[in-house]
Amino acid sequence: MLSCKNRSQPIYHSAILKTNPGMLLSGFILRNVPYVSEVFVIQHKWSGSLRNIALAIILVRAGLGLDAKALQKLKLVCLRLACGPCTIEACSVAVISHFLMGLPWIWGFILGFVLGAVSPAVVVPSMLLLQKVGYGVEQGIPTLLMAAGSFDDILAITGFNIFLGMAFSTGSTLYSIFRGVIEVVGGMVAGVALGFFIRYFPSKDQESLVMKRAYLLLGLSVFAVFGSAAAGFSGSGGLCTLVLAFLAGIGWGSSKGAVEDIVGVAWDIFQPLLFGLIGAEISVTSLNPSTVGLGVATLSIALVIRIVFTFVMVLFAGFNFKEKLFVSLAWVPKATVQAAIGSVALDTAREKQNVLLEKYGMDVLTVAFLAILITAPMGALIIGLAGPRLLRKPISDQLENEGMGQYYG
């Protein structure tokens, strides 16, 4: 008997399992294999720029993929999911690293907010694949995770900047908190303004409208990410891009799908660059052996706490047990934010020429790299394997699959 009931699952599995881990490993090999690493030399400036472009593209995909109706329905859950797990993981890491790794409290929170961010480069493509196949769409789970994940990253970056400022006394605590609020508000305001602009420009009577919309959307998004970083408000660019793409997609209506296809092509180009470059950031020689074991222990304990707390955050969201479990497990992968800010504390300490602070900065960098190396492929595997098993498809799709199975039977 030939049944088509689950014919989409192998396609989904192969799509997710062949991407992130292999790309990450390729970059790792290029960086650490003798002779190969001498031939392929990647300048840090170019590496960072390419990662930022890829980050802008993935946030555009996330913004276009958001379902306004599902977001309205789950707005309170989204808020809890965006703030709760990140905060609890940051606090857990701070406590664990203080007693286990000997980090000062401020540096513990720096490490905590570095690890507290979920990776949009892993979560968003995975959620878009699930959404395309139909898993969890009626419950709004892909939209919930993409939206909450983006705000989760903003919170993590803001918290990181606050404690980084406290560690190096670059300003008062109140100023650091106020600066974080300004980043969030500024990013949202800029995103709303650009979003309404791109909804009406270019006008609908122009030729190659879809292509122009896609190029303008990508261009403005990359400009937002780089411009905010140049202005010293790096946390604003990602939020601006997300809001911009979301509002533009609402305004374009049914034609949004064609723009998503073009953005998807751009992502296909930059995805291997992003993960390859993240893998290339991990140097075996830079890992302190005495820190690796304690770092893995800190990361593992904090992840367990985050998973449990995330499950608690969605207890009254209207999901069944399997869906709550999936949401909790999908919050595991870390890559993009860790690669972006993991070395900032060390670079700042080197500028201050403080040996003790350099040691703390290297500890933060080591654990951040371990988090990327362990959780990025593990998270992709978990989402790829658990999604089709824990999430529901629309009833119409299930009936169609069962009907085709009977037909072929």
Side-chain angles (χ1 to χ4, degrees):
M1 178 184 293
L2 177 61
S3 174
C4 294
K5 184 176 182 179
N6 294 318
R7 68 188 188 279
S8 60
Q9 289 190 20
I11 298 174
Y12 174 77
H13 288 165
S14 62
I16 192 65
L17 295 180
K18 289 180 181 178
T19 53
N20 303 328
M23 297 173 189
L24 193 72
L25 184 60
S26 299
F28 179 79
I29 292 173
L30 289 176
R31 175 65 182 271
N32 293 282
V33 172
Y35 304 111
V36 176
S37 59
E38 297 176 3
V39 176
F40 295 95
V41 179
I42 305 172
Q43 295 184 6
H44 179 72
K45 181 178 180 180
W46 283 104
S47 174
S49 297
L50 290 172
R51 289 201 307 267
N52 282 332
I53 294 174
L55 177 61
I57 294 173
I58 196 60
L59 289 175
V60 169
R61 293 192 73 197
L64 291 175
L66 294 180
D67 185 338
K69 293 182 179 179
L71 197 58
Q72 176 68 21
K73 176 183 176 182
L74 299 170
K75 56 185 177 182
L76 294 179
V77 183
C78 182
L79 181 63
R80 295 202 304 265
L81 201 58
C83 300
C86 176
T87 304
I88 198 69
E89 183 176 12
C91 294
S92 300
V93 170
V95 174
I96 297 169
S97 63
H98 176 73
F99 291 104
L100 203 60
M101 300 177 63
L103 289 179
W105 285 109
I106 291 179
W107 281 89
F109 278 102
I110 289 176
L111 176 60
F113 280 107
V114 168
L115 298 182
V118 70
S119 173
V122 177
V123 173
V124 172
S126 303
M127 292 304 108
L128 290 175
L129 281 172
L130 285 172
Q131 187 170 267
K132 186 176 182 179
V133 179
Y135 290 110
V137 173
E138 286 190 347
Q139 294 75 34
I141 291 176
T143 288
L144 172 66
L145 289 174
M146 286 189 293
S150 300
F151 285 100
D152 173 279
D153 292 342
I154 297 298
L155 176 62
I157 293 173
T158 301
F160 171 80
N161 288 331
I162 290 173
F163 282 96
L164 185 70
M166 294 171 62
F168 292 99
S169 301
T170 56
S172 65
T173 304
L174 289 177
Y175 171 77
S176 299
I177 296 174
F178 178 73
R179 181 185 177 87
V181 174
I182 290 296
E183 287 196 13
V184 174
V185 175
M188 293 188 68
V189 170
V192 170
L194 292 175
F196 278 104
F197 168 76
I198 202 174
R199 286 173 69 168
Y200 303 105
F201 182 85
S203 58
K204 296 182 179 180
D205 58 347
Q206 295 192 29
E207 297 181 356
S208 304
L209 179 61
V210 172
M211 193 71 68
K212 291 178 180 178
R213 281 176 170 174
Y215 287 161
L216 186 58
L217 176 60
L218 289 171
L220 288 175
S221 300
V222 172
F223 173 77
V225 171
F226 280 91
S228 63
F233 296 94
S234 56
S236 299
L239 184 57
C240 174
T241 298
L242 184 73
V243 175
L244 157 65
F246 175 60
L247 292 178
I250 293 177
W252 293 336
S254 59
S255 62
K256 180 181 73 171
V259 177
E260 285 183 293
D261 292 339
I262 297 176
V263 175
V265 173
W267 172 243
D268 290 339
I269 296 172
F270 278 90
Q271 183 185 21
L273 288 174
L274 173 63
F275 281 93
L277 290 171
I278 289 175
E281 288 288 335
I282 305 172
S283 174
V284 173
T285 57
S286 68
L287 298 178
N288 186 351
S290 63
T291 308
V292 172
L294 296 176
V296 171
T298 300
L299 175 65
S300 302
I301 297 171
L303 275 178
V304 171
I305 294 174
R306 182 185 181 113
I307 291 172
V308 173
F309 192 80
T310 303
F311 189 90
V312 173
M313 288 289 97
V314 293
L315 278 180
F316 303 102
F319 302 142
N320 62 31
F321 176 80
K322 289 184 177 180
E323 290 162 348
K324 294 172 187 174
L325 180 61
F326 175 79
V327 171
S328 303
L329 295 176
W331 237 221
V332 167
K334 307 174 187 302
T336 316
V337 176
Q338 287 72 28
I341 66 176
S343 62
V344 172
L346 176 61
D347 294 338
T348 307
R350 285 173 175 169
E351 291 177 1
K352 301 291 184 180
Q353 296 182 346
N354 188 312
V355 177
L356 181 60
L357 296 184
E358 284 185 27
K359 177 185 178 300
Y360 296 149
M362 182 57 71
D363 289 344
V364 171
L365 179 61
T366 299
V367 181
F369 280 167
L370 290 171
I372 297 172
L373 189 62
I374 295 171
T375 65
M378 182 178 70
L381 286 169
I382 289 174
I383 295 174
L385 295 173
R389 290 169 172 79
L390 299 180
L391 299 182
R392 292 174 284 176
K393 296 184 70 174
I395 297 177
S396 58
D397 289 354
Q398 294 178 7
L399 293 176
E400 179 184 351
N401 290 339
E402 290 175 0
M404 293 187 68
Q406 293 175 1
Y407 174 79
Y408 284 105

